[in-house]
Amino acid sequence: MTKGKSKIKKNNPIKNKAENATLDPSTFTEKLKKTSISELNTILKGEYMAIDSYEKYIDNISDANAKSELQKIQKEHKTQAISLAERVQNLGGIPTKNIGVIGKVAETISDIADITKSKPSSYIKKALNGENQGIKLVDEMIKGDLDNDSKNLVNSMLNQDKSHVNILSGLSTSLESTNK
């Protein structure tokens, strides 16, 4: 008799419908879309944090060459933010418009830590640290569920961010050798 009950449960159309819903390609695509939108918005918040951070570094750095390099990198982060926002929209989502509460807390802590720093090399090191942290976080995120187009976009951004690390490393070395 227990075998009969077991068969009834397996053939229960309500249960089978619920199980199949998770395997249905259109449902999976919708789930992937929502996950991609969420992940992209998280990355977008990071881009906003980068833009804001570079603004502070640019405002406080006196070395003209360093300022110019920081402006170029900030511009690239702005372009990345626009690309992410467009991708979120193309997936049917609403792009985030700011860094969020956690970002504001991190920004405040960073501002307090910056009060005592004044050498250009210290701002470059902070920018370098921020780029490395961003790369590490985004690298972990893209191991999860992102649609292929979003994954390609984010990988392209990661490559650009890695070039930022190279630029900032060279700039840091240059400024330290001149004791700036």
Side-chain angles (χ1 to χ4, degrees):
M1 185 83 71
T2 49
K3 286 184 181 178
K5 284 184 180 177
S6 177
K7 280 187 178 179
I8 292 172
K9 284 184 181 178
K10 284 185 178 178
N11 293 327
N12 183 337
I14 295 171
K15 184 177 181 202
N16 286 343
K17 188 175 182 182
E19 286 174 353
N20 289 336
T22 59
L23 301 175
D24 179 51
S26 65
T27 305
F28 178 74
T29 302
E30 196 59 36
K31 181 180 178 187
L32 183 60
K33 222 191 249 192
K34 286 181 181 180
T35 302
S36 293
I37 290 168
S38 175
E39 298 284 328
L40 291 172
N41 269 328
T42 299
I43 296 168
L44 183 55
K45 285 179 186 178
E47 288 301 319
Y48 290 144
M49 285 178 67
I51 293 164
D52 289 348
S53 294
Y54 277 99
E55 190 66 36
K56 289 179 182 119
Y57 304 149
I58 291 164
D59 287 346
N60 290 299
I61 203 159
S62 56
D63 184 86
N65 182 47
K67 185 177 286 223
S68 175
E69 288 299 325
L70 293 176
Q71 288 168 330
K72 288 177 194 172
I73 293 171
Q74 183 191 43
K75 185 177 180 179
E76 290 175 356
H77 280 290
K78 288 178 180 179
T79 302
Q80 290 176 350
I82 290 168
S83 296
L84 284 167
E86 288 173 352
R87 181 69 192 141
V88 168
Q89 290 170 333
N90 291 341
L91 287 169
I94 299 171
T96 189
K97 292 181 170 87
N98 58 44
I99 61 176
V101 174
I102 293 171
K104 280 289 183 193
V105 170
E107 228 179 38
T108 303
I109 291 168
S110 177
D111 288 347
I112 292 167
D114 279 346
I115 290 173
T116 59
K117 296 181 179 178
S118 59
K119 291 172 65 172
S121 61
S122 66
Y123 292 109
I124 300 303
K125 285 180 184 176
K126 285 206 60 91
L128 184 57
N129 184 44
E131 290 285 348
N132 280 321
Q133 285 182 347
I135 289 168
K136 185 177 177 182
L137 290 171
V138 172
D139 220 12
E140 282 300 312
M141 289 181 75
I142 63 169
K143 290 179 183 174
D145 294 329
L146 272 182
D147 66 277
N148 285 335
D149 289 343
S150 297
K151 193 174 277 195
N152 290 337
L153 171 65
V154 173
N155 275 324
S156 171
M157 291 171 49
L158 278 172
N159 289 334
Q160 195 170 39
D161 290 347
K162 289 174 184 174
S163 78
H164 296 162
V165 167
N166 292 335
I167 292 166
L168 292 168
S169 292
L171 195 53
S172 177
T173 302
S174 171
L175 288 170
E176 284 178 353
S177 70
T178 59
N179 203 20
K180 288 186 177 180

